[in-house]
Amino acid sequence: MRAFVFPGQGSQKVGMGVELAGASLAAREVFQEVDEALGQNLFAIMSEGPEDQLLLTENAQPAIMAHAIAVLRVLEKEGGIAIGDACDFVAGHSLGEYTALCAAGAFTLADTGRLLKLRGQSMQAAVPVGVGAMAALLGADIAKATALAEAAAQGEVCTVANDNDPTQVVLSGHKAAIERAIAMVKDFGIKRGVLLPVSAPFHCPLMAPAADAMAEALGRTPPRSLSVTLMANVTAAPVTDPAEISRLLVEQVTGRVRWRESALALGTAGVDQFVELGGKVVGPMISRTLADVSITSVASMADIEAFAREL
C-alpha cells in the first residue's frame, strides 16, 4: 500500500517551482491559479524572493502547498496518474494537511490557497512578535519532551507542538518558558535544544485566536468528500467524514502534530511505500519511525518522470 505525504512549513526556499513551471504547463497553471486566488504574485516571490517575504508565514504556507500540488498535477496530467489509483492514504505535516486535502479533492486549489493565506495571517496575529517561541529537541522522545515541557512551564505555556519522530520533538509556548526548556535539556537526558527561527508559537494554546478564525473560515468553505482517506494530524487516525475533518483542522491549530504516531498508524494499516510530494522533509522523519518501508521524494521533473515509470 502507498501513502502520499506532504511537507509543512520550513520546506520553502527561493527558486521553488521554477524548474517545474519551465517544463510543464500543468505546473504553470497551478501557480497562476493560486496567484489569482490570492490577488498577489506569490509565484514571483517563490521564484525570485526576497527570502524574507517568502519566509512570512502568510506566504510560506500557500507557497509550499502550491509547489506540492504542482508536482501532483504534473504527475496526473503528464504521467496519466489518478491519485485515487496511485495511493491509499494521504497525510500532511501541519499546513501539509491542507495540501493533502486539496490533493484528495476536499478543497479546490483556489480555496486551499485562500485558507492557508488566512491561516498564516491568523497564526501570526494571534501572538505579538517576541512573546512566543518554538524549540526543536534533538535526541528526545515524547516522554522526555513531555516531562521537560511540564518542568519548564512554571505557570506559562510550554507544550509539545510536533512529535516528529523517535528522535525529534518540537516544543511551543511562551518565549521565557521555551528558553528555560532549552537550558534544562541535559537534566532530562536530551541531547540538545535549538530555538527555531519562527515568527509565532504554532500548535499550542496561544494560537486560540487563530483557531477561532479558521473555524469561521471553514464554516464558509467546508471540506467536500475525499477521494482518498486522510490520516489526521491531531488524532493519528484515518478520517473521511468532511464534518469531522473540519473540526480536526480547527483543533490542529492549537493541537499537537502527531506525525510519529501517524506514520506508525499508516504502517499498521499496511502502508509500506511513502511518497513525499514537493519536498524532502517528512519522508526522513517517517524513515526514522518505521523500518522496512520505502521512502521516495518527488519534487523535480526528473523525480516525477522516474516515479511515473515505476507505477
Side-chain angles (χ1 to χ4, degrees), residues 294-306:
S294 73
I295 312 287
T296 305
S297 170
V298 180
S300 67
M301 283 301 298
D303 295 338
I304 291 168
E305 290 164 0

Side-chain angles (χ1 to χ4, degrees), residues 224-226 228-230 238-242 245:
R224 302 173 301 188
S225 297
L226 280 70
V228 184
T229 300
L230 174 76
V239 60
T240 55
D241 177 60
I245 287 167

Side-chain angles (χ1 to χ4, degrees), residues 256-302:
R256 179 183 303 178
V257 177
R258 295 168 63 181
W259 191 251
R260 176 185 60 86
E261 293 174 88
S262 295
L264 290 170
L266 287 165
T268 299
V271 174
D272 57 2
Q273 297 178 49
F274 292 85
V275 181
E276 180 175 356
L277 298 182
K280 197 174 185 178
V281 180
V282 293
M285 295 177 189
I286 294 169
S287 70
R288 291 190 289 270
T289 302
L290 293 173
D292 301 320
V293 297
S294 73
I295 312 287
T296 305
S297 170
V298 180
S300 67
M301 283 301 298

Side-chain angles (χ1 to χ4, degrees), residues 130-307:
V131 171
M134 298 181 77
L137 305 179
L138 308 180
D141 60 23
I142 190 66
K144 291 177 181 178
T146 300
L148 172 61
E150 290 172 355
Q154 298 179 21
E156 294 185 308
V157 172
C158 185
T159 189
V160 173
N162 303 344
D163 178 10
N164 286 334
D165 65 44
T167 68
Q168 186 194 98
V169 179
V170 175
L171 300 185
S172 183
H174 285 108
K175 186 176 182 183
I178 297 299
E179 290 173 342
R180 284 193 295 271
I182 291 173
M184 296 163 66
V185 291
K186 299 293 185 185
D187 299 336
F188 289 81
I190 296 169
K191 183 178 177 182
R192 193 154 59 103
V194 181
L195 199 65
L196 295 176
V198 295
S199 54
F202 306 133
H203 299 293
C204 80
L206 296 176
M207 289 285 109
D212 293 341
M214 292 314 296
E216 185 178 332
L218 289 162
R220 295 191 304 266
T221 310
R224 302 173 301 188
S225 297
L226 280 70
S227 60
V228 184
T229 300
L230 174 76
M231 187 64 72
N233 275 191
V234 296
T235 59
V239 60
T240 55
D241 177 60
E244 178 71 358
I245 287 167
S246 187
R247 185 185 70 77
L248 293 176
L249 286 174
V250 174
E251 187 179 334
Q252 187 223 59
V253 178
T254 57
R256 179 183 303 178
V257 177
R258 295 168 63 181
W259 191 251
R260 176 185 60 86
E261 293 174 88
S262 295
L264 290 170
L266 287 165
T268 299
V271 174
D272 57 2
Q273 297 178 49
F274 292 85
V275 181
E276 180 175 356
L277 298 182
K280 197 174 185 178
V281 180
V282 293
M285 295 177 189
I286 294 169
S287 70
R288 291 190 289 270
T289 302
L290 293 173
D292 301 320
V293 297
S294 73
I295 312 287
T296 305
S297 170
V298 180
S300 67
M301 283 301 298
D303 295 338
I304 291 168
E305 290 164 0
F307 180 64

